């Protein structure tokens, strides 16, 4: 699980990030980037709008950097 791989998980939880966001950060850390579509496959039970807000929140918190526009958008760790 992402918890063991990434020592910062405890810090992220302290920041108030949710489990989905931590999963997204772990995925981006392991794979170099994450897209909204990939995030939706990681969290299939969650509405796309909620996931979009999760990603926007991670950008606002300076954890992710958003690159690209519309369908070409992806996110990398800052």
């Amino acid at each position: 699980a992402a918890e063991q791989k990434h020592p910062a998980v405890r810090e992220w939880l302290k920041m108030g990030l949710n489990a989905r966001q931590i999963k997204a950060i772990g995925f981006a850390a392991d794979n170099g980037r994450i897209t909204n579509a990939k995030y939706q496959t990681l969290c299939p039970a969650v509405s796309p709008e909620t996931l979009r807000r999760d990603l926007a929140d991670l950008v606002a918190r300076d954890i992710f950097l958003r690159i690209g526009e519309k369908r070409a958008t992806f996110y990398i760790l800052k």
Side-chain angles (χ1 to χ4, degrees):
E3 290 78 24
Q4 285 80 45
K5 265 199 231 164
H6 300 286
V9 167
R10 200 170 284 129
E11 295 306 309
W12 298 331
L13 286 168
K14 275 190 209 149
M15 291 170 68
L17 298 184
N18 63 47
R20 295 184 308 272
Q21 288 174 309
I22 290 170
K23 192 186 273 190
I25 294 168
F27 184 89
D30 293 341
N31 298 279
R33 63 168 64 181
I34 189 169
T35 62
N36 194 312
K38 186 66 198 174
Y39 194 27
Q40 287 179 35
T41 64
L42 292 175
C43 307
V46 183
S47 84
E49 179 59 19
T50 297
L51 297 177
R52 188 195 63 73
R53 282 195 303 262
D54 279 352
L55 290 171
D57 181 54
L58 289 168
V59 171
R61 290 173 184 262
D62 261 1
I63 295 171
F64 273 177
L65 195 58
R66 180 182 168 172
I67 296 175
E69 287 297 315
K70 302 213 166 51
R71 296 185 69 79
T73 302
F74 63 91
Y75 301 83
I76 59 171
L77 285 169
K78 222 169 178 181

